[in-house]
Amino acid sequence: MMITIEMACSINGLIATEDGNEDFLSYRGWEIMLEFLKEYDVLIWGRKTWDNILSWGEEYLNDLKDIKIIILTNERDSKNEFPNVTYCNSIEDCLSICEKLGYEKLFISGGATINNAFMERGIVDNIILNYNPYVLNKGIPLFTGNYFENKLKLEKIVKEKDDILQVHYNVVK
């Protein structure tokens, strides 16, 4: 199994304002994610990220209609209105579902708690960060939760549209 975390963030590593707002991030980040997803079997999000996407409207949901999605949530009564979306309540449950469905390439794109949960287990292979030309002094970081640390190896840097700097890392295991 190959696991990649990909996130859009400010230049100082914040993925949203303190109240969860992502308006400072370029729409190009959404396009980049959709391009990457062509190479992956499944997209994994946390419930808060999914709730944000649902609030953005039909256009965004249309972009996702052919993408297999797993939502990690602690809420037991999550209603599933989408045939391409599976809900699970733990990383172990998520990995078990992926194995059962034959998903080899997992793409994680938020939020901070989900990113952290995968990193602290030492199972992430790659991290791709899309640094947006924006600075916040407070907000939600890329990772939040239990302590972990990892050395990364720079793979490549891509100058994207909208002054986004995309940095690819391999996680050293």
Side-chain angles (χ1 to χ4, degrees), residues 9-26:
C9 60
S10 66
I11 65 162
N12 55 326
L14 298 177
I15 60 174
T17 60
E18 286 182 302
D19 64 358
N21 186 305
E22 301 174 356
D23 288 349
F24 66 93
L25 297 172
S26 167

Side-chain angles (χ1 to χ4, degrees), residues 128-151:
I128 303 167
L129 300 176
N130 294 295
Y131 289 103
N132 285 245
Y134 207 87
V135 177
L136 304 167
N137 74 336
K138 290 183 180 175
I140 300 171
L142 286 162
F143 303 98
T144 189
N146 295 329
Y147 178 81
F148 73 86
E149 60 180 76
N150 275 103
K151 183 170 176 48

Side-chain angles (χ1 to χ4, degrees), residues 6-10 25 29 32-33 36 128-132 160 164-167:
E6 185 267 353
M7 293 296 295
C9 60
S10 66
L25 297 172
I32 290 168
M33 182 194 73
F36 274 122
I128 303 167
L129 300 176
N130 294 295
Y131 289 103
N132 285 245
E160 268 287 346
I164 293 171
L165 186 65
Q166 185 179 88
V167 183

